[in-house]
Amino acid sequence: MLSAVIVETRKPRDFIDVTTRVQSVVETASVADGICVVYSPHTTAAITINENADPDVVADLLKAYTDLLGDEARFRHAEGNSGAHALTSLVGPSVSIPIHSGRLVLGRWQAVYFCEFDGPRERTMHVQVIGERGGSREVPS
Amino acid sequence: MLSAVIVETRKPRDFIDVTTRVQSVVETASVADGICVVYSPHTTAAITINENADPDVVADLLKAYTDLLGDEARFRHAEGNSGAHALTSLVGPSVSIPIHSGRLVLGRWQAVYFCEFDGPRERTMHVQVIGERGGSREVPS
Amino acid sequence: MLSAVIVETRKPRDFIDVTTRVQSVVETASVADGICVVYSPHTTAAITINENADPDVVADLLKAYTDLLGDEARFRHAEGNSGAHALTSLVGPSVSIPIHSGRLVLGRWQAVYFCEFDGPRERTMHVQVIGERGGSREVPS
């Protein structure tokens, strides 16, 4: 079952914790055992999983990734956001997370992040849930 | 249903738009609601999703990724393509795309790219489609 | 079917070949046609696929990725492992591999690696297998 979730971003570059919204879609889907694909349909925004305990981690990631791409002026694309496109393919347009007993199998410190690299904008995130439904082992009489 | 698609690459490094070929596999699979995994079985070629409107974006990505890895001479692997191996794991060997109503849920500007980092070569790309088939809600009488 | 596999890492940064362990889970799952998601529930350890023939490739990848992130001292996170967090999101927390005829569709030179970026530690790796079971086309009489 596919769901579209709107994500409002407020800065040029930011990581927004969307874990609760993804978990909510998974619960509605009633899949007991399967996988969840969280997908960005944009070319300057990615999806990742990282720590949610210390906000300095997200600040450091944004610094590390901006340093990684270097001077934007050496690129040709007229919109001036080639660094954002390059980061989107490095971080990746989606994550796939196992589902067990109807819930995401996230580690203790993991959160799902929507990664804005060229905002602020109103973005969409797709959440696809597939697998075996809970209670499906019963045969209707 | 798994399909193998041949991709001929023509340069040492290049991104080849394979969106139409992937969409064609999805249509043949008759999966109404599910996911499509596009997979590179190679260690110096990756799969990504990025913009297809302005060809400068792909040129900028190739430049950005070559700059990222730096001087190949500092590596030990005798084949001299460690930079290609490193990029393959950064961009990633596959993408997972939701399928809805029998079609890939790609954003307006998104294309699926086969990323050659050590060509030119004849490559293979695997496309796996899983999920619920269209019309499967009918119970045979 | 979800399985948890323990991975003992022995160095601060290392890539551990887990291909045999993942293939073993796939065989137990009895899925003929589907996908396998190998997932790290950690925020400083990733999963990737790369060459297993020449050990210099893994050594070069570790060097390339350490060079990529640069000086750790410029980050704020008090644990001093922001480079490890940044690499985890670049390499990615999971890989998705097609399954055909009950086996992983890996290329000739491909191995699945658990990527430790902040060890040594005892880590967990989740392996989720979904798809159509072998022999499931028979209708019970």
Side-chain angles (χ1 to χ4, degrees):
Chain A
M1 195 192 76
L2 186 73
S3 298
V5 177
I6 300 298
V7 181
E8 303 266 359
T9 68
R10 304 196 173 185
K11 300 176 192 169
R13 291 192 176 178
D14 200 11
F15 282 23
I16 293 119
D17 187 338
V18 292
T19 313
T20 306
R21 282 179 269 183
V22 175
Q23 184 64 54
S24 170
V25 171
V26 170
E27 283 164 14
T28 305
S30 301
V31 164
D33 190 64
I35 67 167
C36 172
V37 175
V38 185
Y39 183 84
S40 161
H42 307 287
T43 57
T44 54
I47 310 286
T48 197
I49 291 174
N50 220 298
E51 181 177 322
N52 65 350
D54 176 4
D56 279 349
V57 171
V58 163
D60 286 349
L61 259 60
L62 287 166
K63 175 166 181 49
Y65 295 163
T66 296
D67 291 353
L68 207 62
L69 269 294
D71 183 12
E72 187 76 42
R74 76 194 198 281
F75 297 124
R76 297 193 302 196
H77 180 45
E79 287 183 48
N81 61 355
S82 283
H85 285 286
L87 285 175
T88 298
S89 280
L90 290 175
V91 174
S94 72
V95 294
S96 296
I97 309 163
I99 296 169
H100 185 66
S101 299
R103 291 189 65 80
L104 296 171
V105 180
L106 290 172
R108 180 174 177 184
W109 308 108
Q110 287 185 318
V112 184
Y113 286 101
F114 184 93
C115 309
E116 175 63 80
F117 292 125
D118 191 34
R121 302 199 206 188
E122 185 184 283
R123 300 288 204 173
T124 302
M125 171 178 79
H126 292 301
V127 183
Q128 177 66 299
V129 179
I130 61 171
E132 296 180 12
R133 286 171 204 280
S136 66
R137 282 162 199 143
E138 289 186 14
V139 178
S141 58
Chain B
M1 196 191 76
L2 186 72
S3 298
V5 177
I6 301 297
V7 180
E8 303 266 0
T9 69
R10 307 200 170 181
K11 300 176 191 169
R13 292 192 176 178
D14 200 11
F15 282 22
I16 293 118
D17 187 336
V18 291
T19 313
T20 306
R21 283 179 269 184
V22 174
Q23 183 64 53
S24 171
V25 171
V26 171
E27 282 165 14
T28 305
S30 301
V31 164
D33 190 64
I35 68 165
C36 173
V37 176
V38 185
Y39 183 83
S40 161
H42 307 286
T43 57
T44 54
I47 310 287
T48 198
I49 291 174
N50 220 299
E51 180 177 321
N52 65 350
D54 176 3
D56 280 350
V57 171
V58 163
D60 286 348
L61 260 61
L62 287 166
K63 177 166 181 47
Y65 295 163
T66 296
D67 292 352
L68 208 62
L69 270 294
D71 184 12
E72 187 77 41
R74 76 193 197 281
F75 297 124
R76 298 193 303 195
H77 180 44
E79 287 184 47
N81 62 355
S82 283
H85 284 286
L87 284 176
T88 298
S89 281
L90 290 175
V91 174
S94 72
V95 293
S96 297
I97 309 163
I99 296 169
H100 185 66
S101 299
R103 292 189 63 80
L104 296 170
V105 180
L106 290 172
R108 180 174 178 184
W109 307 108
Q110 286 187 319
V112 184
Y113 286 101
F114 184 93
C115 310
E116 175 63 80
F117 292 125
D118 192 33
R121 304 199 203 187
E122 185 183 283
R123 300 288 204 173
T124 302
M125 171 177 79
H126 292 301
V127 183
Q128 177 67 299
V129 179
I130 60 171
E132 296 179 12
R133 286 172 202 279
S136 65
R137 282 165 200 140
E138 288 187 13
V139 177
S141 58
Chain C
M1 196 191 75
L2 186 74
S3 298
V5 177
I6 301 298
V7 180
E8 302 266 0
T9 69
R10 306 200 169 181
K11 300 177 191 170
R13 291 192 175 178
D14 199 12
F15 281 23
I16 293 119
D17 186 338
V18 292
T19 313
T20 306
R21 283 179 269 183
V22 175
Q23 183 65 53
S24 171
V25 171
V26 171
E27 283 165 15
T28 304
S30 301
V31 164
D33 191 65
I35 67 166
C36 172
V37 175
V38 186
Y39 183 84
S40 161
H42 307 286
T43 57
T44 55
I47 310 286
T48 197
I49 290 174
N50 220 299
E51 181 177 320
N52 64 352
D54 176 3
D56 280 349
V57 171
V58 163
D60 286 349
L61 260 61
L62 287 166
K63 176 166 180 47
Y65 295 163
T66 296
D67 291 353
L68 207 61
L69 269 294
D71 184 12
E72 187 77 40
R74 76 193 197 282
F75 297 124
R76 299 193 301 196
H77 180 44
E79 288 183 45
N81 62 355
S82 283
H85 285 286
L87 285 175
T88 298
S89 281
L90 290 176
V91 174
S94 73
V95 293
S96 297
I97 310 164
I99 296 169
H100 185 65
S101 298
R103 291 189 64 81
L104 295 170
V105 180
L106 290 171
R108 180 174 178 183
W109 308 107
Q110 285 185 320
V112 184
Y113 286 101
F114 184 94
C115 310
E116 174 64 80
F117 292 124
D118 191 33
R121 303 200 203 187
E122 185 183 282
R123 300 288 204 172
T124 302
M125 170 177 79
H126 292 301
V127 183
Q128 177 68 299
V129 179
I130 60 170
E132 296 179 13
R133 287 171 202 279
S136 67
R137 283 166 199 138
E138 288 186 15
V139 178
S141 59

